[in-house]
Amino acid sequence: MDNEPPRTDEVLDALASQRRRRVLAYLREHGDATREELADVLTGWLATDRASGRADAEDHARIAISLSHVALPKLDDAGLVAVEEETDTVALEATAPWVETCLDAVLDADTGTDDRVVRPWSESEDA
């Protein structure tokens, strides 16, 4: 994204999808990954989300297509990842601290580890 500052709406829109958040979480741990590796990991997460504990080749294919045509372009447009087409590698981009804070918060919410209590707007200092 040529070092443009992230636009709030694009970042928040990109973080609105659990699949995209999972891509970012994986890249945070591993630095970079191929599209195929991301499809494998997301298919594994899908299997763990299901009562059956299974995902099949069709699930993997749907996830791979969704990654290529929806998730990765949206994350790239938001300035959160860079996709190297020649090597088919996806890597995290450096982001502003507020983006990291938002990502931390939504990942905590996804895993149920966010136990912070937030006061209603009417009770805040800004009211």
Side-chain angles (χ1 to χ4, degrees):
M1 270 207 80
D2 299 356
N3 295 329
E4 290 181 29
R7 291 185 290 260
T8 305
D9 289 343
E10 287 179 343
V11 169
L12 295 176
D13 187 40
L15 296 179
S17 160
Q18 184 181 47
R19 182 169 291 163
R20 292 188 296 266
R21 293 190 302 270
R22 285 179 167 178
V23 166
L24 295 172
Y26 185 80
L27 292 174
R28 270 184 160 184
E29 274 190 44
H30 300 277
D32 62 13
T34 64
R35 287 178 208 248
E36 184 66 21
E37 182 180 351
L38 290 172
D40 291 346
V41 168
L42 291 171
T43 302
W45 268 325
L46 175 64
T48 63
D49 290 343
R50 291 182 171 166
S52 68
R54 299 183 139 200
D56 59 24
E58 285 183 28
D59 293 317
H60 187 277
R62 277 193 296 275
I63 287 170
I65 291 167
S66 175
L67 269 174
S68 291
H69 296 285
V70 180
L72 295 178
K74 188 168 285 273
L75 291 169
D76 186 31
D77 289 347
L80 300 175
V81 301
V83 180
E84 175 57 48
E85 297 297 334
E86 287 183 24
T87 61
D88 208 29
T89 302
V90 182
L92 279 177
E93 290 279 66
T95 58
W98 72 266
V99 175
E100 292 297 319
T101 300
C102 286
L103 182 55
D104 289 339
V106 294
L107 290 173
D108 286 349
D110 282 347
T111 60
T113 59
D114 185 7
D115 58 359
R116 296 173 286 172
V117 176
V118 178
R119 295 179 291 164
W121 285 106
S122 61
E123 295 177 20
S124 73
E125 296 85 29
D126 296 331

